[in-house]
Amino acid sequence: MLPAVVIYFVLACALLGLVFLPEPRAWVASRLGLLAGATRAAVRQSTSRWQRGCDHTSRQAAAAASAGVSWMRRRWPLWSAAVALLLIPPTVVYLLRDRHQPEGYVDLADNPTLVGQLLEGEQLVAPPALPPEVFTTAEVQQSRPLLSSADRKWELLDHDFRQRLLMAFKIMKEQHGYDMALLEGYRSPERQAMLQNMGTHVTHAGPYQSYHQFGLAADCAFYRNGKLVISERDPWAMRGYELYGEVAASLGLTWGGAWKMRDLGHVELRRPGVKPRNQ
């Protein structure tokens, strides 16, 4: 306690002396002035040394650049060959990127038979058909006109596409708890024309402008408590559609929910040589 009192007393006396006594105040001011002058001199000296160092470095860099340019002019065949050797390997790899894939790499979209190969010995079987009245309720007819007359025969679908779609149904059930139902698979050109005539809110595609006509597309929905759930306003169904899109993409299928005119239950297998316009 006593040392703190002594320190406070000394500091208070010093402060009062600087405020009321001219001599101590002048002495402190002179010392501060000397310190400031020394600081300015040191700064000027450091700045001068830094500028001289920069000038020296710039002259060295310019000389090195000039020497480098001169060397390159004299030995251009040598460095040109070196650059070519450096560029040849990545160029060759880039040009051959589509012919050689890393070991274990697979592209489902480019290999229509891959799912069949993966499921060899475990060919998935279509689920039992749902009762016809499931597709004729007022709610279903309002969401999907003419659904009662749609074709739901799994055997009319392309084999590889059918196996991918069945795998998607299996994953949705086992991993996410969603039972799925096939609303429409193969669609005849005549039915496609009829749906097109109903308006663009149904489809933009005419006959042979949809993958349905090739057995490479399907419209699906969810089956809960004995009823089809199609409405996007149902949060449970909307979450299911998002999961369905992810599963479909993982199996090499194109999901209609990613289109500008969204078709959340639609998936298709795009195959080289079959190029209908998107719905």
Side-chain angles (χ1 to χ4, degrees):
M1 185 65 182
L2 182 60
V5 172
V6 172
I7 292 173
Y8 171 77
F9 178 76
V10 172
L11 291 176
C13 291
L15 180 61
L16 291 173
L18 290 175
V19 173
F20 296 106
L21 299 176
E23 291 80 2
R25 190 165 58 247
W27 182 84
V28 171
S30 65
R31 291 295 180 269
L32 291 176
L34 291 175
L35 180 61
T39 302
R40 286 194 296 272
V43 170
R44 285 196 299 269
Q45 186 176 8
S46 298
T47 302
S48 178
R49 284 199 301 268
W50 179 80
Q51 289 177 343
R52 289 196 300 271
C54 287
D55 292 340
H56 179 68
T57 302
S58 298
R59 288 193 296 271
Q60 286 183 330
S66 177
V69 170
S70 177
W71 181 89
M72 292 179 68
R73 287 176 178 175
R74 292 194 306 270
R75 297 176 175 82
W76 67 267
L78 181 62
W79 65 259
S80 297
V83 171
L85 288 174
L86 290 175
L87 293 178
I88 286 175
T91 302
V92 171
V93 172
Y94 177 79
L95 294 176
L96 296 179
R97 68 191 187 283
D98 294 330
R99 298 186 180 182
H100 300 278
Q101 298 290 1
E103 184 178 357
Y105 174 87
V106 292
D107 190 339
L108 286 167
D110 292 338
N111 190 344
T113 63
L114 180 59
V115 171
Q117 294 171 3
L118 292 176
L119 298 176
E120 186 174 358
E122 189 194 348
Q123 293 293 305
L124 298 178
V125 178
L130 296 177
E133 56 269 21
V134 170
F135 302 93
T136 59
T137 63
E139 180 183 358
V140 170
Q141 289 298 316
Q142 183 178 4
S143 301
R144 298 293 298 265
L146 304 179
L147 183 61
S148 59
S149 60
D151 195 304
R152 287 178 281 276
K153 298 184 182 71
W154 284 88
E155 61 270 21
L156 295 183
L157 297 176
D158 175 87
H159 174 75
D160 293 324
F161 172 64
R162 181 170 69 247
Q163 288 299 303
R164 296 181 193 223
L165 186 60
L166 289 171
M167 176 60 76
F169 277 32
K170 181 178 181 181
I171 293 174
M172 289 296 295
K173 172 63 176 178
E174 294 181 354
Q175 297 187 16
H176 304 298
Y178 283 84
D179 284 307
M180 300 203 66
L182 176 64
L183 301 182
E184 183 171 12
Y186 170 78
R187 182 184 298 160
S188 68
E190 294 76 18
R191 179 176 171 81
Q192 187 70 44
M194 181 174 58
L195 294 176
Q196 184 186 35
N197 291 333
M198 295 179 65
T200 56
H201 66 286
V202 178
T203 180
H204 287 280
Y208 295 107
Q209 293 179 335
S210 168
Y211 280 94
H212 281 284
Q213 275 84 80
F214 302 90
L216 293 169
D219 296 329
C220 305
F222 306 108
Y223 189 60
R224 180 180 62 182
N225 299 329
K227 295 182 179 181
L228 290 177
V229 183
I230 302 176
S231 175
E232 302 175 20
R233 290 172 293 182
D234 187 312
W236 175 83
M238 194 61 207
R239 175 56 182 160
Y241 282 127
E242 294 172 354
L243 293 171
Y244 183 49
E246 295 173 3
V247 171
S250 71
L251 294 171
L253 300 175
T254 298
W255 177 49
W259 298 344
K260 183 176 181 180
M261 180 182 173
R262 298 198 306 174
D263 192 351
L264 297 173
H266 179 94
V267 292
E268 60 189 35
L269 176 58
R270 296 184 175 182
R271 179 169 293 172
V274 181
K275 299 180 179 179
R277 187 179 66 199
N278 290 341
Q279 291 179 318

